[in-house]
Every structure is written in C-alpha cells, then in structure tokens.
Amino acid sequence: MDVYELGEGPAEVAVVAAIHGDEPCGVRAVERLVAEEPDVERTVKLVVANEEALAEETRYLEADLNRSFPGDPDADAHEERLAHRLRSELVGCTTLAIHSTQSYAEPFAVVDSMDEVARAVAPHLPVDAVIQTDAFTEGRLIEHPHTIEIEAGLQGSEDAADNAYWVTRAFLAATGALPAPGSDDVIDAGGREDVPVFRLRDRIPKPAAEEYEVFAHNFERVEAGDRFATADGEPLRAEEPFYPVLLSAYGYREQFGYVAERVGAIE
C-alpha cells in the first residue's frame, strides 16, 4: 500500500485507488493529482491500495480485497491483512473509492445508503446515477462510514482514467478540500439537478452456457416479457419490469448484473 498526503495535519478526506489490481484508472488519477501538487484547504490522503495485485495486473492475489473488510491483521490471505491496514488509514476520513467496470462507459456513484454525506456530495459529481447497494455490501469498503464508490468507466480504457481524475477533483471540491473551480473548468461543483437514484433489489443469475449476450442497457427500464439477454442463443426474458445495473455478458461468473428499482433522485 502506498500513501500520499496533500496538506498538513490529520487527513479528513481520502481517495483510494487500486482496490482491484486490474483497475488502474484510479492510480492514474492519483498520480496526476500528486504531480500537480494542488493547494488544498483540507488535508487529503491518496491511497494506492493493492500494489501487489496492480503489479501483476490481476484483480487480487489471494482474496477479493473489496469483499475482505474490515480485515484481519493476522489473516493468512494478503488482501485480508491489507483490508485491516487500509481501513485503519481511513479512520475519520470522508472517502472516495475508485473502480472501473465492464458494463458501462460513463461514471456512476455507488453508496451503501443515502446518508447525509451521499446527499451532500453526490449531486456535485459528474455521474449518470447513484446506486444504493445496502443489501449487497458485506465485506466491501463501502460499509466504512462516509464512503462513496465511483465506477469511472470501462476497465482499462483511457476514458476511465480521465473520468477518474475529474470525478476525484469534483469530490475534493465538494468536500471542501479544493477551491471550487472556475467557470471554465470541467468540474461540476455547482451541483446538478435530478441525479437518479436506484436501489439494488436482486441478482440476475446466469444459466450455464458457453456464450452470453446482453441486449438491455444499464439504467434503462426493461419491461415484463422483454428479452434482456441470451445464453447460448436462448432468450432470457424479464418476468417483471426492472432497471438493470452493472449488466454485462462476462463481468461476473454467475450473474449478469443486478435488478434495481428507481427510488427517486437527488436534487
């Protein structure tokens, strides 16, 4: 684990990259910020978490770090020990954790619940939606108080790295760590209207097959009876209306993604 600090004194805001070693976009954002040496108004901690997995370009070495919190300093698995160290680094910090996905090209935010931090920060982020995952957070960093995850874009893409940087700058502005940007800046620090909020309700299972294809689009309503995917050419149809989230053919081994319901918007 590598830790950088901007400013002096105890950190109040943190950004975490490389929870998964095959998601380098957050590392690129951290490196860009460190190189810029911005003048911060609150001390910021920038963390590159799973350096070992990053070096191997693999998701994890022994256990999924984002299923290992709160961790155990005496565990056999590298990631379980790392989870304990990382959580200790983040005590007292409002935290942004950066990820990327195989299912959606634009940034969206993920929260455990719509607490006061999520409601205050999320409208200032350049994201398409906010996903509430309270039923599916066991072992994830997002259970840490005042933590927001960001899915920055497609895994390994240049756009994801660029998105990660601008979302990070927006997060730091929204938490008062950086001055609000000028009118010519890309960061939306003035707030956005009607950011849709979805709540995950269930998993979408994948039947055993050699080839999969998806037809539905994330955050777009699927009606009952609609074909949303195929498994070896056999159509899979919705039994009831739903909004798909993190839907992809091969992003997960045993599921296509999640069934979600739209629960409102942050204004």
Side-chain angles (χ1 to χ4, degrees):
M1 184 167 60
D2 205 357
V3 181
Y4 306 89
E5 288 199 2
L6 304 175
E8 299 179 357
E12 300 176 298
V13 180
V15 177
V16 180
I19 285 178
H20 294 133
D22 59 354
E23 299 176 2
C25 61
V27 181
R28 299 271 298 279
V30 165
E31 291 172 344
R32 191 169 167 183
L33 272 171
V34 171
E36 289 173 350
E37 298 181 342
D39 292 328
V40 294
E41 298 181 355
R42 301 174 72 189
T43 301
V44 178
K45 186 175 288 189
L46 305 172
V47 182
V48 177
N50 201 343
E51 290 183 289
E52 293 83 357
L54 185 68
E56 297 291 333
E57 298 181 353
T58 188
R59 189 171 179 84
Y60 55 83
L61 299 184
E62 298 174 302
D64 189 334
L65 177 56
N66 211 28
R67 301 295 185 273
S68 299
F69 292 96
D72 181 351
D74 301 315
D76 292 332
H78 160 70
E79 278 82 6
E80 292 177 10
R81 298 191 303 273
L82 182 58
H84 177 80
R85 290 176 55 205
L86 177 56
R87 196 165 185 270
S88 298
E89 286 285 348
L90 301 177
V91 171
C93 289
T94 300
T95 301
L96 178 73
I98 303 173
H99 292 268
S100 54
T101 177
Q102 296 185 37
S103 65
Y104 196 71
E106 301 302 323
F108 61 90
V110 183
V111 299
D112 178 35
S113 61
M114 292 306 302
D115 62 12
E116 67 277 9
V117 172
R119 291 182 180 279
V121 174
H124 298 273
L125 304 181
V127 296
D128 282 359
V130 177
I131 312 303
Q132 183 179 339
T133 64
D134 52 321
F136 301 93
T137 56
E138 186 175 357
R140 293 172 58 173
L141 179 59
I142 203 170
E143 288 187 311
H144 179 80
H146 309 317
T147 297
I148 295 176
E149 285 185 359
I150 187 76
E151 295 285 355
L154 295 176
Q155 188 172 321
S157 69
E158 288 296 322
D159 284 345
D162 199 47
N163 291 341
Y165 171 78
W166 289 113
V167 171
T168 298
R169 288 293 303 262
F171 170 77
L172 295 178
T175 53
L178 287 180
S183 58
D184 294 333
D185 210 313
V186 233
I187 307 170
D188 176 17
R192 302 176 64 198
E193 295 183 357
D194 298 333
V195 179
V197 179
F198 299 86
R199 185 172 186 265
L200 301 190
R201 195 175 70 217
D202 207 351
R203 294 179 172 89
I204 305 173
K206 288 168 73 173
E210 294 295 324
E211 294 184 353
Y212 302 96
E213 191 173 2
V214 299
F215 301 98
H217 300 284
N218 285 288
F219 311 126
E220 295 183 12
R221 182 181 168 94
V222 175
E223 299 296 342
D226 284 355
R227 181 186 66 163
F228 64 87
T230 60
D232 285 343
E234 290 295 320
L236 302 173
R237 299 186 182 276
E239 295 182 2
E240 59 182 4
F242 74 96
Y243 289 91
V245 171
L246 289 167
L247 185 73
S248 66
Y250 299 103
Y252 300 98
R253 290 183 180 179
E254 299 179 351
Q255 65 188 74
F256 283 108
Y258 293 90
V259 170
E261 58 185 343
R262 180 164 176 165
V263 294
I266 303 176
E267 298 178 358

